[in-house]
């Protein structure tokens, strides 16, 4: 530790002190005493006397025991550690001893470092110096308490900081540690303990020492370093560190225990200060003391000292020392160190006064302290000030001033001791600036965590960035972002002296961040440029994250295909509309829209066309409603429109009509003209539902009622619709048990041939004999079976029962005509259809030629290639293929050449009006003529009159089915009409 040791020696009472030595050495602010080998005080300086008085809790008592001739060991026994340390240096067991202690002055608690160093001659005594380390201790406390700025301290501290886990594995290794020890952080963190940088022999020696001191066994290793900290004892010791390149150097290591709020140890923090220079300074002090060894060899002899020795002592001091006239301020004497600090020679110094070389901002305080010194208010003072170097630059020094008297009551001159602290002040300045930057970035990144508007966040950046600049009072900041500008109040377009960095979002430049000084001041480079680069990067990343969040929210709340709100967002808006309209006693409406015949277009023209059509529909719907209304896609071909704050049901009706008129207009996609309609269900709030789910359910029920009412219309929800839905639900539940309860029956309707009107085939018709409701019409339960998927097991049951009936009639000796069985679209989609038919035929022993399978014309346009393959496989088995309800579907006549079709069944809607509607008659004529040319049989369905039969026969039709010939018959009645072979 650097110190200017000025020692005041006194001998026996009969001997006179040396005035010149006393005059020179006493003004030093560092407290110094000299002991002989028996611990008797043989010399003290004036600073020590003042120190003992100021810290004496019992006035006069401590000072009495601290004068020359007193036994210092008696006083030091109040602290056993200090007492033993001094003894061990006196008897040569320790080369030196350092001990920290605190004491209370009238105004504050102060910390001191007691350093015990032997005099040069063996057994000649020791020099004890007391250094004021209060500032150092305060710094340690700040490091421990100010954890919020840990990162800044770690990165910019000039001492090594090493943090470990409880078992010693290094977790933090700051840049100063890297510079000090030559290791990279990645070589140390999570890989080794601090023992790697310690001298093993020193660690082993300390293990023994600490084991004895703490009365526990401590094994050499990491535990030695933290043993005292673990027990909450002061743990600050000098150690030898070993660099990566093998160089050894001394450090002052302080080890702290890190605990969580529960008091559990979570790690240890070591702070190591390179004390190489301190050791060099101490060596110089020892050398200086050794030069005095002849003078202190006998404690009863006082140093008479010559001017030459004083001059040597004066010149060899490690700090600048000057004697200054108190009245004029002129330098009377200055050592070479003082001259070197401000760039002058010692001779040039004598022509100067301290006023001319003191910075104007510090001169007033300096003069005020001199006046207080002259008045006797203070005995010495210490301050930091700036001196002008000969070349004009500022030099920061730590100044200590003590008064000196000759004969007057007012000091004739004073001794000024200066130490160059320019590097430390520069480091403090950099640390201060870095701390401002850290606070700025911390505040900005905290703000990044909130969902602030862009304008608010940019203003926050401007405020904190401005405060972090070296000259905030003249700093002007501007952020330009996508055409918007955010500025400080002092910004002007005429400012040119500034820094700039671009703001990039996903790699593309979207603006820039600029900062200017309104005066010609220099920016702190590269630090301030790095700061605005970092902030611009943070802003860009925040905007990227914000945009990503907005995309995620849109993906979560909007339909990907159409961009419309999805069901989730719709439900939220319905809830908001209901709350708003409930408060204002207004109405709202939900329109449930299902596109008619969309499935046919999607299956026949492909999903690409279907998707484009849905997008066009979404666009048209959006143009039919108000800006406050919501158009959402429910899924598939279903859309929902929310109409908030309407005045009456007529408002919803008007929108429904507008939607129907808009959708009935043709769509042109891929050079194709497409036509669709819509079935719309309307539910009103609050009468049709007071919750979101109820309101949507009511609109859904009304929509299905619109479909059942012929499609392309709208229906308002009515309470009786719930009854219909409930009945439908109950019926579907009963239908699931109909098979296992044997409630399903087969009926057969003959297809007759002319001229004999004998059965050419029989169409198998399904009936349901419900135990409570009696015979239920197929029109009522077949759609339910299709909707619920029950049609697949029911269809398989029909096929099996038909085959068993054929087998029974055959075994009874009857000639059995072909049975025609209807296949549903769900059955045709079953991948196991072919295998299931083969299995049933094999299990019942019936030939495939005994069966015909009927499919509707609309099935032909669904997945054409797969349908062709399936029908070809069925035909190859020997099954006949019939097209039911021909003429009302959407198939192209060209398909008839591609499919293995044996029979066409003309739909009864054409047969019904052939006697009165020439269009129906013409259609039937064309179908029969076309089928004859394609060699396809034709069956006319729904023949109920002689007139219809006559017309059809005249057109060449030979097969007929309808009530004119026979109603559907039970198996028993059919048997009565069959011939035996």
């Amino acid at each position: 530790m650097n110190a200017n040791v000025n020692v005041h020696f006194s001998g026996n009472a009969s001997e006179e002190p040396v005035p010149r030595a006393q005059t020179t050495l006493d003004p030093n602010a560092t407290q110094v005493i000299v002991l002989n080998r028996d611990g008797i005080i043989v010399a003290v300086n004036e600073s020590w006397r003042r120190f003992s008085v100021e810290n004496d809790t019992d006035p006069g008592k401590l000072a009495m025991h601290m004068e020359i001739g007193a036994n210092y060991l008696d006083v030091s026994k109040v602290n056993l550690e200090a007492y033993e340390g001094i003894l061990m240096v006196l008897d040569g067991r320790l080369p030196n001893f350092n001990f920290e202690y605190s004491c209370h002055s009238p105004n504050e608690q102060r910390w001191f470092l007691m350093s015990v160093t032997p005099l040069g001659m063996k057994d000649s005594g020791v020099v004890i110096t007391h250094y004021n380390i209060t500032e150092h201790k305060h710094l340690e406390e700040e490091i421990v308490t100010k954890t919020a700025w840990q990162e800044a301290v770690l990165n910019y501290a000039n001492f090594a900081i090493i943090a470990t886990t409880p078992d010693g594995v290094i977790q933090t290794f700051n840049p100063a540690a890297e510079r000090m020890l030559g290791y990279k952080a990645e070589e140390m963190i999570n890989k080794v303990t601090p023992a790697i940088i310690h001298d093993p022999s020193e660690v082993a020696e300390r293990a023994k020492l600490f084991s004895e001191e703490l009365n526990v066994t401590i094994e050499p290793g990491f535990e030695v370093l933290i043993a005292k900290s673990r027990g909450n004892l002061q743990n600050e010791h000098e150690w030898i560190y070993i660099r990566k390149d093998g160089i050894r150097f001394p450090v002052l290591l302080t080890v702290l225990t890190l605990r969580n709020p529960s008091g559990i140890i979570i790690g240890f923090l070591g702070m190591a200060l390179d004390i190489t220079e301190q050791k060099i300074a101490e060596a110089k002090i020892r050398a200086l003391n050794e030069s005095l060894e002849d003078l202190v060899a006998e404690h009863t002899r006082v140093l008479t000292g010559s001017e030459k020795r004083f001059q040597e002592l004066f010149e060899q001091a490690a700090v600048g020392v000057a004697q200054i006239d108190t009245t004029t301020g002129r330098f009377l004497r200055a050592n070479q160190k003082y001259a070197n600090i401000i760039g002058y020679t010692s001779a040039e110094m004598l022509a100067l006064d301290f006023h001319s070389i003191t910075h104007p901002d510090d001169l007033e305080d300096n003069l005020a302290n001199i006046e207080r010194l002259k008045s006797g208010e203070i005995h010495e003072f210490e301050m930091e000030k700036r001196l002008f170097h000969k070349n004009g630059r500022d030099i920061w020094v730590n100044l200590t001033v003590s008064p000196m008297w000759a004969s007057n009551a007012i000091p004739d001159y004073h001794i000024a001791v200066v130490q160059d602290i320019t590097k430390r002040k520069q480091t403090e300045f950099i640390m201060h600036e870095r701390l401002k930057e850290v606070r700025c970035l911390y505040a900005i990144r905290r703000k990044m965590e909130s969902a602030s508007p862009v304008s608010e966040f940019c203003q926050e950046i401007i405020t904190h960035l401005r405060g972090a600049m070296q000259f905030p009072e003249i700093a002007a900041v501007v952020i330009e972002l996508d055409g918007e500008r955010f500025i400080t109040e002092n910004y002007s377009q005429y400012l040119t002296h500034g820094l700039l960095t671009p703001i990039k979002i996903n790699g593309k430049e979207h603006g820039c961040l600029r900062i200017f000084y309104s005066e010609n001041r220099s920016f702190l480079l590269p630090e301030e440029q790095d700061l605005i680069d970092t902030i611009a990067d943070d802003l860009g990343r925040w905007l990227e994250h914000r945009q990503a969040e907005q995309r995620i929210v849109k993906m979560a709340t909007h339909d990907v295909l159409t961009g419309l709100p999805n069901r989730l967002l719709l439900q939220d808006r319905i809830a908001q509309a209901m709350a708003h309209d409930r408060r204002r006693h207004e109405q709202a409406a939900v329109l449930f829209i299902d596109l008619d015949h969309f499935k046919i277009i999607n299956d026949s023209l492909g999903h690409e066309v279907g998707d484009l059509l849905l997008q066009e529909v979404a666009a048209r719907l959006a143009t039919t409603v108000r800006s406050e209304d919501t158009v959402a896609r429910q899924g598939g071909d279903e859309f929902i429109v929310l109409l908030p704050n309407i005045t009456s049901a007529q408002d919803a009706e008007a929108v429904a009509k507008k939607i129907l008129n808009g959708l009935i207009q043709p769509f042109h996609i891929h050079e194709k003209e497409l036509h669709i309609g819509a079935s719309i269900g309307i539910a009103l709030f609050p009468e049709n539902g007071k919750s979101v789910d109820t309101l949507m359910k009511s609109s859904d029920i009304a929509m299905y009622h619109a479909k059942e009412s012929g499609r392309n219309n709208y229906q308002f929800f009515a309470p009786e619709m719930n009854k219909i839905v409930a009945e439908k639900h109950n019926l579907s539940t009963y239908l699931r048990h109909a098979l296992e309860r044997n409630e399903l029956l087969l009926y057969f309707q003959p297809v007759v041939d002319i001229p004999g009107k004998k059965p050419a085939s029989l169409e198998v018709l399904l009936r349901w004999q419900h135990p409570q409701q009696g015979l239920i019409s197929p029109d009522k339960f077949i759609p339910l079976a299709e909707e619920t998927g029950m049609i697949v097991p029911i269809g398989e049951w029909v096929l099996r029962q038909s085959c068993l009936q054929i087998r029974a009639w055959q075994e009874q000796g009857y000639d059995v005509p072909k049975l025609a069985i209807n296949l549903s679209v769900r059955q045709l989609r079953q991948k196991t259809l072919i295998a299931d038919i083969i299995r049933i035929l094999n299990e019942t022993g019936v030939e495939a030629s005994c069966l015909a399978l009927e499919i509707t014309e609309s099935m032909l346009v669904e997945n054409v290639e797969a349908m062709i393959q399936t029908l070809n496989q069925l035909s190859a088995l020997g099954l006949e293929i019939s097209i039911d309800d021909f003429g009302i579907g959407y198939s192209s006549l060209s398909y008839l050449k591609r499919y293995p079709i044996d029979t066409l069944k003309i739909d009864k809607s054409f047969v019904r009006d052939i006697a009165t509607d020439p269009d129906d008659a013409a259609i039937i004529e064309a179908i029969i003529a076309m089928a004859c040319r394609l060699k396809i049989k034709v069956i006319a369905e729904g023949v109920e009159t002689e007139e219809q039969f006559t017309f059809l026969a005249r057109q060449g039709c030979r097969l007929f089915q309808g009530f004119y010939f026979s109603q559907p018959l039970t198996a028993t009645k059919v048997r009565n009409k069959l011939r035996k072979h």
Side-chain angles (χ1 to χ4, degrees):
M1 179 175 296
N2 292 329
N4 181 41
V5 182
N6 296 319
V7 185
H8 173 200
F9 293 96
S10 295
N12 296 328
S14 59
E15 296 177 337
E16 292 292 328
V18 181
R20 183 167 297 175
Q22 178 180 340
T23 301
T24 303
L25 300 176
D26 275 349
N28 195 293
T30 301
Q31 295 80 39
V32 182
I33 61 175
V34 180
L35 310 181
N36 65 10
R37 64 182 180 182
D38 298 320
I40 303 301
I41 299 175
V42 298
V44 299
N45 70 345
E46 188 62 32
S47 290
W48 171 256
R49 287 195 174 94
R50 286 194 299 272
F51 168 76
S52 61
V53 171
E54 290 172 358
N55 295 281
D56 194 349
T57 57
D58 186 359
K61 185 174 182 180
L62 179 62
M64 178 182 70
H65 292 288
M66 293 299 180
E67 282 297 333
I68 296 172
N71 191 325
Y72 186 79
L73 295 178
D74 292 340
V75 178
S76 64
K77 286 179 181 179
V78 296
N79 189 295
L80 189 59
E81 184 177 356
Y83 173 74
E84 291 180 348
I86 296 171
L87 281 180
M88 293 174 76
V89 176
L90 281 171
D91 60 19
R93 285 180 290 161
L94 281 179
N96 55 63
F97 173 69
N98 292 322
F99 175 70
E100 288 186 8
Y101 65 93
S102 67
C103 61
H104 290 270
S105 70
N107 297 320
E108 63 175 345
Q109 180 184 21
R110 293 185 294 179
W111 283 87
F112 291 87
L113 174 65
M114 181 180 77
S115 179
V116 183
T117 307
L119 292 172
M121 288 177 54
K122 185 177 180 182
D123 296 334
S124 59
V126 297
V127 174
I128 301 178
T129 55
H130 293 257
Y131 303 100
N132 188 333
I133 60 169
T134 304
E135 182 179 349
H136 175 70
K137 296 301 290 187
H138 287 169
L139 179 59
E140 286 183 1
E141 293 170 3
E142 286 181 9
I143 292 173
V144 174
T145 57
K146 293 184 181 179
T147 55
W149 312 118
Q150 181 180 5
E151 182 178 352
V153 174
L154 286 174
N155 290 335
Y156 301 109
N158 62 354
F159 51 86
I161 299 176
I162 303 173
T164 74
T165 61
D167 55 359
V169 179
I170 293 175
Q171 299 296 300
T172 301
F173 196 80
N174 75 335
E178 292 183 321
R179 294 190 299 271
M180 182 184 291
L181 292 161
Y183 290 97
K184 294 292 183 182
E186 53 265 28
E187 296 180 76
M188 309 296 280
I189 294 175
N190 288 326
K191 295 181 179 177
V192 296
T193 71
I196 192 175
I197 58 176
H198 282 265
D199 184 340
S201 60
E202 184 182 48
V203 171
E205 182 180 336
R206 294 284 177 90
K208 294 179 181 178
L209 181 63
F210 290 170
S211 295
E212 295 175 0
E213 181 179 342
L214 301 178
N215 198 26
V216 294
T217 301
I218 302 174
E219 295 296 330
F222 174 73
E223 187 62 26
V224 177
L225 308 180
I226 53 89
K228 288 191 175 182
S229 297
R230 188 185 297 278
N232 293 325
L233 300 176
Q234 180 181 345
N235 192 0
E236 183 175 85
H237 297 279
E238 292 184 8
W239 292 86
I240 297 298
Y241 270 5
I242 303 176
R243 283 177 49 86
K244 186 176 181 180
D245 56 13
I247 294 175
R248 297 168 179 254
F249 61 98
V251 297
L252 181 62
L253 174 63
T254 301
V255 180
L256 303 177
T257 303
L258 304 179
R259 300 177 186 270
N260 64 15
S262 300
I264 297 173
I265 296 176
I266 59 172
F268 297 94
L269 179 70
M271 295 171 287
L273 181 66
D274 187 341
I275 57 173
T276 302
E277 293 185 5
Q278 174 188 326
K279 288 299 182 181
I280 293 172
E282 289 178 351
K284 289 181 179 179
I285 291 174
R286 285 196 299 273
L288 183 61
N289 289 333
E290 288 171 3
S291 69
L292 303 175
E293 62 187 20
D294 292 335
L295 304 177
V296 296
E298 299 179 11
H299 64 87
T300 57
R301 197 180 71 219
V302 179
L303 177 65
T304 57
S306 65
E307 180 64 26
K308 178 181 178 182
R309 182 166 295 279
F310 163 75
Q311 188 64 33
E312 289 177 356
L313 181 64
F314 185 78
E315 291 297 336
Q316 291 177 8
V319 292
V321 182
Q323 183 179 354
I324 300 173
D325 188 293
T326 302
T327 304
T328 64
R330 294 184 63 82
F331 286 90
L332 303 177
R333 182 180 299 181
N335 70 351
Q336 190 59 47
K337 182 66 175 180
Y338 200 127
N340 291 342
I341 288 175
I342 58 175
Y344 292 93
T345 65
S346 297
E348 290 173 331
M349 291 285 295
L350 301 181
L352 300 175
D353 59 70
F354 80 87
H355 309 85
S356 62
I357 63 172
T358 298
H359 194 283
D361 293 346
D362 303 324
L363 183 58
E364 184 177 348
D365 288 343
N366 200 158
L367 292 174
N369 284 326
I370 292 292
E371 290 303 317
R372 294 172 65 202
L373 205 67
K374 290 163 64 176
S375 68
E377 180 183 348
I378 57 176
H379 300 294
E380 63 182 19
F381 70 85
E382 186 175 353
M383 66 178 290
E384 292 181 355
K385 61 180 279 188
R386 285 160 289 180
L387 298 178
F388 290 126
H389 193 276
K390 186 177 182 180
N391 61 15
R393 61 187 176 93
D394 293 347
I395 301 296
W396 276 96
V397 297
N398 185 290
L399 169 68
T400 303
V401 175
S402 298
M404 304 195 71
W405 293 266
S407 58
N408 298 326
I410 298 177
D412 299 288
Y413 52 90
H414 56 265
I415 296 297
V417 179
V418 296
Q419 184 177 4
D420 188 346
I421 59 170
T422 304
K423 289 185 179 179
R424 177 170 69 81
K425 296 298 286 188
Q426 289 173 343
T427 301
E428 288 177 356
F429 171 75
I430 293 173
M431 286 280 287
H432 178 69
E433 293 301 310
R434 292 296 76 73
L435 189 59
K436 289 199 299 182
E437 293 176 9
V438 169
R439 286 174 175 162
C440 170
L441 292 175
Y442 177 77
I444 290 173
R445 288 170 181 172
R446 282 290 299 272
K447 190 68 176 177
M448 287 172 65
E449 298 173 1
S450 64
S452 305
V454 173
S455 59
E456 181 182 324
F457 185 47
C458 288
Q459 289 298 340
E460 195 82 12
I461 287 175
I462 287 172
T463 300
H464 291 296
L465 174 57
R466 188 180 188 182
M469 299 303 291
Q470 185 180 0
F471 305 109
E473 65 279 358
I474 60 169
V477 185
V478 57
I479 296 176
E480 296 177 0
L481 187 63
D482 290 332
E484 288 191 83
R485 175 178 283 185
F486 308 95
I487 60 175
T488 52
E489 75 286 347
N490 63 337
Y491 171 74
S492 167
Q493 61 180 336
Y494 302 108
L495 292 174
T496 58
H497 177 52
L499 304 175
L500 175 146
T501 191
I503 299 170
K504 294 183 178 181
I505 305 174
N506 295 317
K508 294 181 64 177
E509 192 169 322
H510 283 250
C512 63
L513 170 60
R514 300 170 184 262
I515 189 160
F516 301 90
Y517 280 151
S518 56
E519 299 177 7
N520 189 22
R521 297 285 188 93
S522 298
F523 286 95
L524 187 62
L525 297 176
E527 289 82 1
E528 289 182 336
Q529 181 68 59
D530 291 343
L531 177 62
I532 69 166
D533 288 347
T534 301
I535 292 174
D537 184 58
D538 283 351
L539 177 57
R541 287 189 293 106
W542 182 78
L543 291 168
E544 289 174 10
H545 181 70
R546 181 184 179 88
Q547 291 177 359
E549 281 185 339
Q550 291 171 346
R551 288 194 296 271
I552 291 170
V553 170
K554 185 164 185 178
M555 288 172 62
T557 58
H558 287 74
D559 175 54
V560 176
L561 177 64
T562 63
L564 294 176
N566 61 12
R567 180 184 179 90
L568 181 66
L569 181 56
L570 172 70
Q571 289 177 324
D572 180 64
R573 290 189 179 176
I574 292 175
Q576 291 183 34
M578 291 169 68
H580 176 272
D581 294 345
R582 185 180 291 113
R583 288 194 301 270
R584 299 197 175 192
H585 304 289
E586 295 177 339
Q587 287 184 300
V590 172
L591 281 61
F592 201 116
I593 305 167
D594 186 88
L595 303 182
D596 296 333
H597 311 305
F598 172 77
K599 190 175 189 309
I600 294 172
I601 294 174
N602 197 49
D603 290 343
S604 60
L605 300 180
H607 294 301
E608 180 184 358
V609 173
D611 288 347
L612 292 173
L613 178 58
L614 289 173
Q615 290 173 344
E616 290 293 327
V617 168
R620 285 195 189 180
L621 290 175
T623 62
T624 61
V625 298
R626 304 167 299 177
S627 59
E628 63 264 36
D629 300 333
T630 297
V631 178
R633 185 182 178 205
Q634 169 81 350
D637 59 354
E638 295 177 341
F639 295 84
I640 294 179
V641 174
L642 167 65
L643 305 175
N645 58 338
I646 60 174
T647 57
S648 66
Q650 284 72 26
D651 292 340
E653 186 175 25
V655 174
K657 289 179 178 178
K658 192 175 180 181
I659 290 173
L660 290 176
N661 292 334
L663 295 181
I664 204 169
Q665 303 302 317
F667 293 86
H668 297 278
I669 297 174
H670 286 184
E671 300 181 352
K672 295 181 184 294
E673 184 176 293
L674 305 178
H675 294 270
I676 60 170
S679 299
I680 304 176
I682 306 174
L684 299 175
F685 169 79
E687 55 261 44
N688 298 147
K690 295 184 179 180
S691 69
V692 175
D693 290 340
T694 305
L695 200 59
M696 291 185 66
K697 181 181 178 182
S698 298
S699 65
D700 192 10
I701 292 171
M703 182 273 293
Y704 276 105
H705 191 65
K707 278 192 176 295
E708 293 172 356
S709 300
R711 300 176 186 270
N712 202 40
N713 70 95
Y714 62 87
Q715 295 289 329
F716 281 91
F717 174 79
E720 56 266 23
M721 290 181 182
N722 272 328
K723 183 178 179 181
I724 296 171
V725 171
E727 290 176 353
K728 186 176 178 182
H729 173 72
N730 291 335
L731 198 61
S732 65
T733 303
Y734 285 126
L735 181 60
R736 294 184 181 275
H737 302 291
L739 272 177
E740 59 192 53
R741 294 172 180 169
N742 295 320
E743 295 173 1
L744 300 180
L745 305 172
L746 294 186
Y747 276 63
F748 305 88
Q749 186 173 34
V751 175
V752 301
D753 194 356
I754 58 172
K757 296 183 180 180
K758 296 294 182 182
S761 63
L762 298 167
E763 181 178 0
V764 179
L765 302 173
L766 185 62
R767 298 291 185 267
W768 180 10
Q769 186 65 46
H770 192 279
Q772 284 84 35
Q773 302 181 28
L775 199 62
I776 299 177
S777 167
D779 293 338
K780 197 169 183 180
F781 74 84
I782 291 298
L784 269 180
E786 287 275 7
E787 186 179 326
T788 60
M790 284 294 296
I791 195 68
V792 174
I794 289 175
E796 184 175 336
W797 180 86
V798 170
L799 179 61
R800 181 179 295 277
Q801 292 303 119
S802 298
C803 290
L804 291 173
Q805 188 62 70
I806 292 172
R807 181 65 181 272
W809 283 333
Q810 288 175 344
E811 289 177 348
Q812 294 170 13
Y814 293 104
D815 289 330
V816 183
K818 193 182 295 289
L819 295 192
I821 302 171
N822 288 282
L823 287 182
S824 72
V825 65
R826 279 183 177 264
Q827 287 176 281
L828 276 173
R829 290 174 181 165
Q830 291 292 111
K831 294 181 180 181
T832 61
L833 175 64
I834 305 299
D836 291 341
I837 291 174
I838 293 173
R839 174 173 50 79
I840 292 172
L841 290 174
N842 291 335
E843 290 174 357
T844 58
V846 174
E847 295 293 332
S849 58
C850 297
L851 299 174
L853 300 179
E854 293 187 4
I855 62 175
T856 61
E857 182 185 1
S858 60
M859 296 182 191
L860 298 177
V861 299
E862 295 192 17
N863 201 349
V864 175
E865 297 303 323
M867 183 63 68
I868 290 174
Q869 182 180 3
T870 300
L871 294 183
N872 281 333
Q873 290 176 323
L874 292 172
S875 180
L877 292 176
L879 297 163
E880 191 173 290
I881 306 299
S882 295
I883 304 301
D884 197 11
D885 302 333
F886 186 77
I888 64 170
Y890 295 85
S891 66
S892 169
L893 293 177
S894 64
Y895 289 160
L896 296 178
K897 297 192 301 181
R898 302 182 64 188
Y899 290 111
I901 298 170
D902 300 293
T903 305
L904 295 179
K905 299 185 74 174
I906 301 174
D907 187 71
K908 58 187 176 182
S909 63
F910 297 114
V911 174
R912 182 172 54 245
D913 299 324
I914 54 175
T916 58
D917 189 337
D919 290 337
D920 286 345
I923 291 173
I924 287 178
E925 288 177 16
I927 292 174
I928 294 173
M930 177 193 66
C932 288
R933 288 185 175 85
L934 294 175
K935 297 180 181 181
I936 298 175
K937 293 181 289 184
V938 176
I939 298 175
E941 291 185 293
V943 180
E944 298 181 353
T945 67
E946 177 69 30
E947 192 176 18
Q948 293 169 343
F949 168 67
T950 303
F951 176 83
L952 291 166
R954 191 166 55 243
Q955 299 305 318
C957 184
R958 293 292 179 266
L959 298 170
F960 305 89
Q961 181 181 352
F963 284 4
Y964 178 70
F965 301 99
S966 174
Q967 292 186 350
L969 305 172
T970 64
T972 302
K973 291 181 179 181
V974 170
R975 185 183 60 190
N976 295 335
K977 291 180 177 290
L978 297 179
R979 292 181 308 177
K980 285 196 174 184
H981 46 265

